[in-house]
Amino acid sequence: FARDTRERNLYNQLIKAGTPCLAYGSGAAGNSGGYHYLVAPDLSRYLEEGTERKPIAGLFDQGKGHTAKGRITEGMEAGRLDLDVIDTVSHPDFIETALPLLCQWESAKLLHREGQVITLTLAGRFWHTNLAAALHQIIDGGPAPSPRRPSYV
């Protein structure tokens, strides 16, 4: 898993990035072809049904923009996101829509911008999940969250 303070759980990195993954075992989650699925988490059901067919507990459409969201999550977790990738993947006006929010985050010292690449600061790495969720909201077609100074800065 790790040799230093950086987590290297490859499964978590890849699944959050939207990489196709076949799930095995009770409670495992996977995705393929735009769908996310969950293998039955109840071990008795898994053992009973698992010999004849895969006991799927749920199947969900990943929805519009899942590739772009995966790239955002992957980049934010790594601490570096190339915004051109999001424009290229599936959301051509992403940078323009996200720019006011990114500028606010930069002024709050959560990230540094160089061209179309953002690098998270230590504070940004702490808040990366929240930052990624706000960027996902843009992909979903909602308005970018209003830029305002966070209370924690």
Side-chain angles (χ1 to χ4, degrees):
F1 274 88
R3 294 182 191 153
D4 55 26
T5 57
R6 182 175 173 269
E7 182 179 333
R8 285 179 170 71
N9 182 330
L10 190 56
Y11 167 79
N12 280 341
Q13 290 174 1
L14 293 174
I15 199 81
K16 289 176 183 179
T19 304
C21 176
L22 298 177
Y24 297 94
S26 180
N31 65 66
S32 183
Y35 291 93
H36 176 78
Y37 68 94
L38 176 66
V39 179
D42 176 26
L43 187 57
S44 59
R45 177 180 168 205
Y46 175 81
L47 292 173
E48 183 180 312
E49 296 178 22
T51 57
E52 296 182 28
R53 64 184 177 89
K54 180 69 77 179
I56 302 296
L59 178 66
F60 313 95
D61 184 339
Q62 289 179 311
K64 176 185 158 222
H66 77 274
T67 302
K69 288 179 184 178
R71 297 284 163 75
I72 289 169
T73 301
E74 176 183 37
M76 297 302 267
E77 288 210 354
R80 181 183 183 281
L81 176 63
D82 184 344
L83 301 169
D84 280 333
V85 171
I86 308 308
D87 272 6
T88 304
V89 173
S90 68
H91 206 280
D93 59 345
F94 177 78
I95 295 171
E96 182 181 328
T97 307
L99 193 58
L101 194 56
L102 297 171
C103 289
Q104 188 273 331
W105 290 345
E106 188 171 31
S107 70
K109 307 219 183 308
L110 296 173
L111 59 85
H112 299 290
R113 285 186 314 126
E114 285 187 37
Q116 304 300 10
V117 176
I118 63 170
T119 305
L120 298 179
T121 63
L122 183 60
R125 290 182 73 89
F126 178 82
W127 292 104
H128 81 274
T129 304
N130 300 60
L131 302 179
L135 297 177
H136 288 184
Q137 187 174 335
I138 294 169
I139 298 296
D140 286 336
S146 15
R148 61 186 178 277
R149 186 165 180 81
S151 60
Y152 55 82
V153 177

